[in-house]
Amino acid sequence: MLLLGVLWLVLAPACLWFLVRGRGLTRAGALLALTGLEAATIWLDAGARPRTPLAQPAPGSAGSTDPIGSGDSIGSMGSAPFTGTAVPCLGRPPVPERAELITRENGVRAVTLSWTAAPDECATASVVLRHRNHRIKVWLSGGPDGPPSPGARTVPVTVSDGVASARVRIAPPLPGGAGLTTVDGRTGRPIALR
């Protein structure tokens, strides 16, 4: 990442100079170098782990320390990691198929993720959300999959009619919600909104 930053600092001004003052092949080379820098930046960002988590356990979930009717603000709500006993699950990692944005008067408060349930579906899921450029990236893994990711929240999974779902609270609420899209952080594919 540091090397990419240094390349941007050195190559970008030179490429811009060649785009303005250069000719033919020099301009094409400068344009190609800038395109390569942009592609490398996007590629590294897509594979990066989330830096600023937005996820909080849903109200009333096992990891929440805030009961449902308390008057505490959402931004100051604390959370503790899930301490319940987890059922071992050996199934495939969950792939979110649908997302529902739960909105209130001042923004998006939670995201409900759903996917096709496996026969040995985990009782909990580890979720990380990151918001950037009107997109909410979602990293979802089931059960205790080794060391937790930074900012990951463990939430309970409910299974009904072959569909598993988990609700993740967002603190502080995201403003708006009309133009937001959800994206699977592992694959980069959009998650359908319902």
Side-chain angles (χ1 to χ4, degrees), residues 56-119:
Q56 293 290 337
S61 69
S64 175
T65 60
D66 187 27
I68 293 178
S70 80
D72 293 345
S73 70
I74 292 174
S76 65
M77 184 181 95
S79 66
F82 181 75
T83 56
T85 57
V87 176
C89 47
L90 304 173
R92 58 172 170 67
V95 177
E97 297 168 358
R98 296 215 177 271
E100 180 182 4
L101 302 177
I102 312 299
T103 58
R104 298 279 190 262
E105 64 276 351
N106 59 344
V108 178
R109 300 261 183 168
V111 176
T112 301
L113 302 166
S114 58
W115 59 95
T116 304

Side-chain angles (χ1 to χ4, degrees), residues 4 7-8 11 29-43:
L4 186 62
L7 285 173
W8 268 108
L11 288 179
L31 188 60
L32 188 63
L34 285 174
T35 304
L37 282 174
E38 186 65 29
T41 303
I42 291 170
W43 180 73

